[in-house]
């Protein structure tokens, strides 16, 4: 099990992503099991630990133009409230990820569940980039469940 000591100055990046999915029944010219979702948005907040408190430092937000799943899946449209035309406003994945990784520095990456880091690694690998994030990841879901007295259950 990995561990990391938290000291004054430790930074945390709380992040969330949205991704588009392949359309059911549609044929694609690649193995969709290698890209079950294409990231279309990354958002994050950076905090710094200082004398027992987490202090807000900065934020990151970027839309990504998909190149494989260019029409919004009906479920993704419902959850994100995005339209197909919104996908045209995004930047290339490689550019956004490069900026996001620079934003993170050596912070502890924080998320809700393991799906976001897994999807990020899948996209990195699919697009020929290094899939090793090189960051310590903290999943808040089991910690929340522990403090809420809900061990073993998941909350959205």
């Amino acid at each position: 099990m990995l561990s990391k000591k938290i000291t004054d100055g430790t930074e945390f990046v709380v992040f969330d992503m949205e991704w588009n999915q392949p359309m059911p029944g549609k044929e694609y010219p690649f193995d969709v099991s290698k890209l079950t979702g294409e990231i279309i948005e990354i958002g994050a907040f950076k905090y710094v630990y200082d004398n027992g408190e987490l202090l807000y430092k900065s934020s990151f937000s970027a839309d990504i133009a998909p190149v494989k799943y260019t029409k919004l899946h009906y479920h993704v449209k419902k959850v994100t409230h995005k339209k197909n035309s919104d996908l045209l406003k995004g930047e290339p994945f490689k550019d956004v990820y490069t900026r996001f990784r620079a934003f993170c520095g050596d912070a502890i990456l924080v998320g809700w569940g393991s799906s976001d880091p897994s999807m990020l690694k899948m996209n990195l690998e699919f697009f020929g980039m290094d899939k090793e994030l090189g960051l310590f990841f903290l999943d808040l879901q089991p910690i929340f469940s522990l403090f809420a007295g809900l061990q073993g259950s998941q909350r959205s």
Side-chain angles (χ1 to χ4, degrees):
M1 177 179 254
L2 294 174
S3 62
K4 183 168 175 93
K5 186 169 176 72
I6 298 170
T7 59
D8 282 351
T10 300
E11 293 182 330
F12 296 84
V13 170
V14 180
F15 84 116
D16 186 41
M17 299 185 319
E18 302 299 339
W19 55 84
N20 201 14
Q21 301 169 358
M23 293 292 189
K26 182 175 178 183
E27 293 290 322
Y28 291 91
F30 57 91
D31 181 358
V32 295
S33 71
K34 302 285 185 198
L35 187 68
T36 59
E38 185 174 9
I39 298 170
I40 58 173
E41 184 178 4
I42 300 175
F45 291 101
K46 185 181 280 187
Y47 295 89
V48 62
Y49 182 82
D50 183 31
N51 198 29
E53 293 185 290
L54 284 177
L55 306 174
Y56 171 80
K57 188 172 181 184
S58 58
S59 64
F60 178 93
S61 180
D63 291 322
I64 299 167
V67 295
K68 298 299 182 186
Y69 304 138
T70 56
K71 298 263 193 257
L72 277 172
H73 186 280
Y74 63 90
H75 177 72
V76 175
K77 193 181 286 189
K78 182 178 169 185
V79 170
T80 64
H81 305 289
K82 288 183 179 285
K83 298 178 282 215
N84 283 320
S85 59
D86 294 331
L87 299 179
L88 302 173
K89 300 172 187 169
E91 302 171 63
F93 172 72
K94 288 181 180 183
D95 295 349
V96 171
Y97 179 71
T98 299
R99 286 196 349 261
F100 175 66
R101 193 60 188 83
F103 171 80
C104 290
D106 65 351
I108 295 173
L109 202 55
V110 180
W112 188 261
S114 61
S115 59
D116 283 340
S118 295
M119 186 58 64
L120 181 55
K121 288 177 182 182
M122 178 182 283
N123 275 251
L124 289 167
E125 185 171 24
F126 186 87
F127 290 110
M129 300 170 71
D130 183 1
K131 70 177 187 171
E132 295 306 316
L133 301 178
L135 297 171
F136 187 85
F137 177 70
L138 177 62
D139 180 0
L140 284 182
Q141 199 168 41
I143 296 168
F144 173 83
S145 294
L146 178 68
F147 282 97
L150 303 168
Q151 293 90 327
S153 63
Q154 290 186 338
R155 300 278 300 261
S156 59

